[in-house]
Amino acid sequence: MDPNFYVVIMAGGIGSRFWPYSRNDRPKQFLDVLNTGQTLLQMTANRFRSICPPENIYIVTNSTYVGLVKEQLPYLGDEQILAEPVRRNTAPCVAYAAYKIRQKNPDATMVVAPSDHAIFHETEFVQTIQAAMQEAAKGDKLITLGIRPNRPETGYGYIQYVREPGATFKKVKTFTEKPQLELAKTFLDSGDFVWNAGIFIWHVSAITSAFDKHLPELAEIFEDCPDCYYSPREEEFIRSAYSQSKNISIDYGIMEKAENVYVVLADFGWSDLGSWASLHEIRQKDGSNNAVDGNAVLFDVQDCMIKSDKDHLLVVQGLQGYLVAQCDDVIIICDKDDEARFREYVNEVKAQKGERFL
């Protein structure tokens, strides 16, 4: 196990597309979404414990969730939980982790991963990550993972790579955000596009150099006080840093602009668990393609996601392609696949009913 390998897990999102199961006070990464006895955050952290020492696992989360992180990962020290005072997307999140880790270990190679993805073939996943970290440790590559697509999915971003026979790490040509169906079909047919898993691997010198070049304002903010990291002054410094940081993703801010981006193609049973539809996709289903989690009796129901707690019974008739979910004090019945509407639902509930049901 290489002491220069570090893992940064991003765990600050609110999971609005999983509302009302995912709530503001306990988002989906802190829930046992897959009924394994572990939350998504715990599964993610445990997945990386064979890659680096536990003291090299860092969690970046909103300050609201620090208590939940400590509760679910009690082996972490306080310095391993990076509390964001406000949400500013993934570029400031990565900058905070990179500059902090660099201050402790300038020879560090780090993997940055979301906390709420499902990985079904963990041996293959670990092997892929280890190979990518060994490659990233050699020099200046910014590496990302690309998942071989098996359908024209419109809910994922895509990476186009340069065809290089025999090359494990392929030069990235383009990034594309979630495409329309026809474009997704074209991507699939072309054979040189993969799904963007949102998992990154790089040496700290490579990513901080990329910040210097492509997001110099953020670089200046987070390297302004290197001695503040791992000190009592860190919280105040980070509060000031985030107040100056713009809201920008690492994909848009760096990965789409940098010329030293490479992708390694992977197939380890991956889902980003970004929506109810993605949960339905990976769940065991009955003969009518219904995924049932909880107590339910169904009549003439097809292609639905049904969820309730053990104390409630759902009786559902005549629906196709719907989500029917009872989660605590909210019942939702809606089109399962129209994930863009969930933010609209959340905003309208907030406008009409306040924060209570969020």
Side-chain angles (χ1 to χ4, degrees):
M1 192 176 294
D2 194 323
N4 291 327
F5 284 0
Y6 288 74
V7 171
V8 175
I9 300 172
M10 299 180 290
I14 58 175
S16 60
R17 288 181 293 165
F18 250 115
W19 182 84
Y21 184 35
S22 178
R23 301 290 183 97
N24 285 345
D25 62 346
R26 191 173 286 262
K28 66 174 179 174
Q29 62 268 29
F30 301 108
L31 301 172
D32 182 8
V33 172
L34 300 177
N35 292 336
T36 64
Q38 296 183 80
T39 68
L40 294 177
L41 174 63
Q42 289 171 324
M43 292 179 69
T44 302
N46 288 338
R47 193 176 296 134
F48 284 109
R49 293 189 71 170
S50 62
I51 290 173
C52 74
E55 62 268 22
N56 288 6
I57 296 176
Y58 286 65
I59 311 297
V60 188
T61 191
N62 187 270
S63 57
T64 306
Y65 306 136
V66 168
L68 285 172
V69 174
K70 289 182 176 181
E71 172 189 314
Q72 296 191 2
L73 302 175
Y75 56 86
L76 296 183
D78 288 348
E79 73 280 359
Q80 293 170 261
I81 303 174
L82 282 58
E84 297 182 292
V86 292
R87 292 182 177 88
R88 286 288 188 267
N89 215 317
T90 53
C93 165
V94 171
Y96 181 8
Y99 285 100
K100 178 168 180 170
I101 290 171
R102 188 182 73 171
Q103 177 63 12
K104 184 174 188 177
N105 184 355
D107 295 322
T109 298
M110 54 191 282
V111 54
V112 179
S115 60
D116 53 2
H117 288 186
I119 306 292
F120 296 102
H121 307 305
E122 296 206 354
T123 299
E124 291 87 341
F125 173 79
V126 169
Q127 291 172 346
T128 301
I129 292 293
Q130 287 176 329
M133 295 190 81
Q134 289 165 3
E135 180 69 17
K138 297 176 184 176
D140 195 39
K141 286 187 175 74
L142 303 178
I143 299 172
T144 186
L145 299 191
I147 308 299
R148 300 178 190 273
N150 55 22
R151 63 185 184 278
E153 174 63 54
T154 60
Y156 299 153
Y158 285 74
I159 300 169
Q160 183 185 26
Y161 60 88
V162 178
R163 295 174 188 257
E164 299 172 274
T168 301
F169 300 93
K170 302 179 185 296
K171 193 82 170 359
V172 169
K173 290 174 67 175
T174 62
F175 286 85
T176 303
E177 288 302 309
K178 300 174 183 178
Q180 297 295 319
L181 181 59
E182 289 306 312
L183 185 56
K185 290 178 179 177
T186 302
F187 288 170
L188 196 66
D189 292 340
S190 75
D192 58 357
F193 282 82
V194 287
W195 290 334
N196 185 353
I199 299 172
F200 310 104
I201 305 97
W202 41 51
H203 194 279
V204 289
S205 63
I207 188 60
T208 53
S209 293
F211 272 106
D212 287 339
K213 183 174 181 179
H214 302 290
L215 290 174
E217 309 92 344
L218 273 182
E220 184 177 353
I221 290 168
F222 283 93
E223 64 185 359
D224 183 53
C225 183
D227 291 338
C228 290
Y229 297 113
Y230 303 98
S231 84
R233 294 179 291 161
E234 181 173 335
E235 182 178 353
E236 181 181 352
F237 168 64
I238 291 302
R239 191 182 304 116
S240 173
Y242 270 75
S243 71
Q244 302 171 64
S245 298
K246 58 184 177 181
N247 188 318
I248 187 169
S249 72
I250 194 70
D251 299 77
Y252 181 75
I254 288 181
M255 301 301 282
E256 294 181 16
K257 298 178 173 63
E259 297 178 352
N260 56 330
V261 179
Y262 292 79
V263 62
V264 56
L265 310 190
D267 187 6
F268 39 68
W270 170 87
S271 171
D272 77 341
L273 287 180
S275 65
W276 285 103
S278 63
L279 181 60
H280 173 268
E281 179 189 339
I282 66 174
R283 285 284 195 191
Q284 183 175 351
K285 292 176 267 296
D286 64 18
S288 298
N289 204 40
N290 300 304
V292 179
D293 181 2
N295 295 324
V297 179
L298 309 182
F299 299 89
D300 302 318
V301 174
Q302 296 181 330
D303 191 34
C304 287
M305 178 74 214
I306 312 293
K307 179 173 177 59
S308 71
D309 63 37
K310 63 182 180 180
D311 296 323
H312 291 79
L313 172 67
L314 297 178
V315 180
V316 185
Q317 182 269 328
L319 294 182
Q320 181 173 355
Y322 266 67
L323 164 69
V324 181
Q326 172 274 318
C327 302
D328 296 325
D329 52 0
V330 175
I331 296 173
I332 186 169
I333 305 168
C334 64
D335 183 341
K336 165 177 61 69
D337 296 320
D338 193 0
E339 64 179 72
R341 294 292 299 275
F342 278 83
R343 288 191 176 91
E344 180 183 337
Y345 301 153
V346 168
N347 291 337
E348 193 61 27
V349 167
K350 182 177 180 179
Q352 293 192 30
K353 303 296 181 180
E355 300 276 352
R356 174 187 166 188
F357 298 103
L358 305 182

